[in-house]
């Protein structure tokens, strides 16, 4: 499994075939950490780290060698391996190197399966097709880059994987999570529940609308709009002494015409600890989560009158990602993220009266306001911390709100500013 901190908190448990929460998507109460019925008790999980102790990226050659060694050792011991690779992670990492993974799958055709975690969906459709052609499965969502509602995920199965369902049954415990009609018609899926997940259908209907709107924009235009926004926001982060841009990782992909997915669309940054004089001592992960919640709160009661308008804004961005850092409390800094998403490119109905240039400028200004509110929180940290206000997702007269995890009817901004 590649870098759990860069994917999701429940992923390591799910990878071991365990319940990762106390309730399933079917509304059934379960015991977190307990093995799902039908999964092997001997399932092992090996973690492949992408970052060093200081939060920097390990050399890709080093990552690939570690991956090869772990796979070879497992196969030599008689195990079948499912290798989880990232395209992309929460901070935009594409790893391990896909060509090296392709070589690995050729070397072990009968003992190795690869699943590509493309849940960020920050890639062109041709990339998904290429992965499936290699006989790799691909996980995707409509809720991150595409800004659809949360919990609309899908798994693309290559033909060979699909054929296994005709001969092998899925673990019976998955009946608590999925209905038969969410899977292919196959004997191996007969043990799943009868019925329908209407919420999933509705969420995917909304996500598909976002996908179709994005797909209607020419690739060259997509590239230009993303570049404009990313450049402007990057410059704003660089000149803010309270913030430090995490070095962007440029995805290494085969060139395609107007391939917008060879640029980094997730801007990750560290935040100065409120008691520190400079960004060399960033906010730790625990307090960064507090800051994330306060961005979504009306903080106007805790600041002077000249700052109340900014403090009242609800700014919804991505949850922080824990990054190793030698000078952060507990050894883990929190990295917040501003991201360019599909709505940034395609717009949405409330933007009909705006020209493209005006809309893009307004999107960029919204992102700047998020960063300004972060600095404001640092300046009045003690008072805000004492009150510890709860986040609120109600619409205010001025709301800078958008996330690839949530889509609502009252949003003013259409930016995909973060990741759930």
């Amino acid at each position: 499994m590649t870098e759990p901190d860069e994917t999701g908190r429940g992923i390591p448990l799910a990878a071991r075939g365990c319940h990762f929460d106390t309730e399933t998507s079917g509304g059934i109460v379960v015991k977190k950490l307990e093995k799902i019925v039908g999964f092997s008790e001997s399932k092992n999980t090996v973690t492949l780290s992408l970052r060093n102790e200081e939060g920097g990226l390990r050399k890709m050659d080093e990552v690939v060698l570690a991956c090869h060694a772990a796979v070879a050792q497992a196969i030599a011991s008689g195990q079948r391996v499912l290798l989880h690779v990232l395209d992309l992670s929460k901070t935009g990492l594409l790893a391990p190197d896909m060509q090296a993974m392709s070589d690995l799958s050729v070397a072990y055709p009968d003992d190795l399966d690869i699943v590509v975690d493309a849940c960020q969906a920050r890639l062109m459709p041709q990339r998904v097709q290429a992965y499936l052609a290699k006989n790799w499965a691909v996980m995707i969502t409509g809720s991150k880059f595409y800004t659809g509602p949360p919990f609309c995920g899908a798994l693309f199965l290559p033909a060979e994987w699909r054929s296994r369902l005709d001969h092998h049954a899925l673990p019976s415990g998955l009946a608590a999570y999925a209905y038969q009609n969410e899977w292919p018609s196959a004997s191996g899926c007969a043990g799943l529940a009868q019925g329908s997940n209407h919420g999933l259908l509705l969420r995917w209907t909304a996500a598909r609308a976002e996908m179709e709107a994005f797909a209607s924009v020419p690739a060259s235009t997509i590239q230009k709009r993303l570049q404009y926004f990313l450049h402007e926001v990057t410059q704003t982060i660089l000149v803010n002494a309270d913030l430090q841009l995490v070095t962007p990782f440029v995805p290494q992909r085969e060139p395609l015409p107007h391939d917008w997915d060879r640029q980094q669309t997730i801007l990750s940054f560290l935040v100065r600890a409120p008691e520190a004089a400079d960004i060399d001592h960033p906010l730790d992960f625990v307090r960064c989560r507090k800051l994330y919640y306060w961005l979504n709160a009306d903080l106007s009661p805790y600041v002077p009158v000249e700052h109340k308008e900014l403090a009242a804004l609800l700014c919804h961005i991505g949850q922080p990602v824990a990054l190793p850092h030698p000078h952060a409390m507990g050894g883990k800094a929190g990295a917040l993220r501003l991201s360019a998403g599909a709505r940034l490119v395609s717009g949405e109905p409330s933007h009909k009266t705006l020209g493209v240039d005006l809309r893009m400028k307004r999107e960029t200004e919204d992102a700047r306001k998020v960063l300004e509110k972060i600095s404001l929180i640092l300046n009045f940290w003690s008072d805000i911390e004492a009150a510890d206000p709860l986040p609120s997702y109600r619409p205010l007269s001025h709301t800078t709100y958008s996330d690839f995890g949530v889509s609502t009817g009252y949003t003013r901004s259409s930016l995909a500013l973060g990741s759930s």
Side-chain angles (χ1 to χ4, degrees):
M1 181 173 185
T2 305
E3 197 61 77
D5 282 343
E6 295 266 359
T7 52
R9 284 173 290 175
I11 298 295
L13 285 173
R16 293 200 296 270
C18 298
H19 296 292
F20 54 86
D21 208 337
T22 56
E23 185 178 359
T24 74
S25 55
I28 298 173
V29 176
V30 293
K31 290 185 178 180
K32 187 175 179 178
L33 307 180
E34 191 174 83
K35 189 74 72 172
I36 298 171
V37 176
F39 279 91
S40 170
E41 291 294 332
S42 62
K43 182 184 286 287
N44 298 319
T45 303
V46 176
T47 297
L48 182 66
S49 299
L50 299 180
R51 294 187 181 276
N52 57 35
E53 294 180 355
E54 296 182 351
L57 292 179
R58 296 171 66 190
K59 292 181 179 179
M60 188 57 71
D61 288 349
E62 181 184 338
V63 173
V64 169
L65 284 174
C67 182
H68 274 248
V71 169
Q73 182 178 0
I75 292 175
S77 67
Q79 296 177 310
R80 186 181 181 90
V81 176
L82 176 64
L83 177 60
H84 165 267
V85 300
L86 292 174
D87 184 351
L88 301 163
S89 75
K90 285 187 173 184
T91 60
L93 303 180
L94 193 160
D97 176 76
M98 292 299 175
Q99 182 56 53
M101 296 305 97
S102 183
D103 295 341
L104 196 59
S105 65
V106 170
Y108 299 105
D110 301 321
D111 301 294
L112 173 67
D113 289 321
I114 293 180
V115 58
V116 180
D117 185 339
C119 289
Q120 288 289 335
R122 298 176 176 277
L123 73 173
M124 299 176 76
Q126 295 94 319
R127 314 294 186 189
V128 176
Q129 294 165 354
Y131 290 144
L132 293 171
K134 293 177 183 289
N135 199 38
W136 300 355
V138 182
M139 299 187 292
I140 199 163
T141 69
S143 62
K144 299 184 185 301
F145 177 76
Y146 284 109
T147 69
F151 308 118
C152 54
L155 173 65
F156 289 101
L157 294 177
E160 194 274 333
W161 287 43
R162 160 63 186 86
S163 68
R164 297 179 197 175
L165 295 173
D166 293 325
H167 308 285
H168 303 280
L170 291 172
S172 59
L174 291 181
Y177 288 89
Y179 294 101
Q180 288 183 24
N181 60 17
E182 295 170 34
W183 283 75
S185 297
S187 59
C189 303
L192 297 178
Q194 296 282 350
S196 297
N197 186 337
H198 297 103
L200 181 62
L201 293 172
L202 290 170
R203 291 191 292 274
W204 263 113
T205 299
R208 283 188 60 185
E210 301 286 359
M211 290 176 168
E212 289 164 4
F214 180 79
S216 69
V217 181
S220 58
T221 302
I222 293 173
Q223 202 172 41
K224 290 177 183 177
R225 292 178 186 176
L226 290 175
Q227 286 173 347
Y228 168 79
F229 171 78
L230 294 166
H231 172 77
E232 293 296 316
V233 177
T234 296
Q235 294 307 307
T236 304
I237 294 172
L238 290 175
V239 299
N240 188 327
D242 294 328
L243 310 175
Q244 182 182 64
L245 186 71
V246 176
T247 304
F249 176 89
V250 180
Q252 301 301 305
R253 305 186 188 276
E254 289 294 322
L256 291 172
H258 305 295
D259 46 6
W260 57 266
D261 60 355
R262 286 204 301 153
Q263 60 186 320
Q264 180 57 270
T265 56
I266 302 175
L267 301 177
S268 306
F269 57 94
L270 304 179
V271 180
R272 174 181 63 82
E275 71 279 2
D278 53 53
I279 191 60
D280 288 341
H281 293 79
L283 195 62
D284 59 274
F285 179 69
V286 174
R287 289 189 296 170
C288 196
R289 287 190 67 83
K290 283 283 188 183
L291 186 149
Y292 164 77
Y293 290 127
W294 294 339
L295 283 171
N296 265 300
D298 179 358
L299 305 181
S300 57
Y302 319 111
V303 302
V305 62
E306 63 268 24
H307 300 299
K308 288 188 181 296
E309 183 177 358
L310 176 61
L313 291 177
L314 303 186
C315 303
H316 195 73
I317 63 175
Q319 298 181 40
V321 177
L323 298 184
H325 198 288
H327 298 145
M329 190 184 304
K332 291 277 189 177
L336 293 173
R337 291 158 295 145
L338 286 170
S339 307
R343 282 196 192 178
L344 172 73
V345 172
S346 56
E348 41 93 358
S350 71
H351 295 152
K352 277 187 175 180
T353 58
L354 296 176
V356 172
D357 290 345
L358 179 59
R359 179 175 68 80
M360 293 298 295
K361 288 179 180 178
R362 196 176 76 169
E363 302 281 20
T364 303
E365 184 56 33
D366 281 343
R368 290 193 178 106
K369 288 178 181 177
V370 173
L371 301 175
E372 289 172 7
K373 185 170 181 179
I374 291 173
S375 291
L376 182 66
I377 291 172
L378 295 181
N379 290 335
F380 297 96
W381 185 275
S382 297
D383 292 336
I384 296 170
E385 184 177 39
D388 196 14
L390 294 174
S392 170
Y393 300 98
R394 60 187 171 82
L396 299 177
S397 56
H398 296 88
T399 302
T400 299
Y401 179 92
S402 180
D403 174 51
F404 15 81
V406 181
S407 177
T408 66
Y410 59 77
T411 60
R412 177 172 112 70
S413 169
S414 64
L415 284 178
L417 297 179
S419 171
S420 55

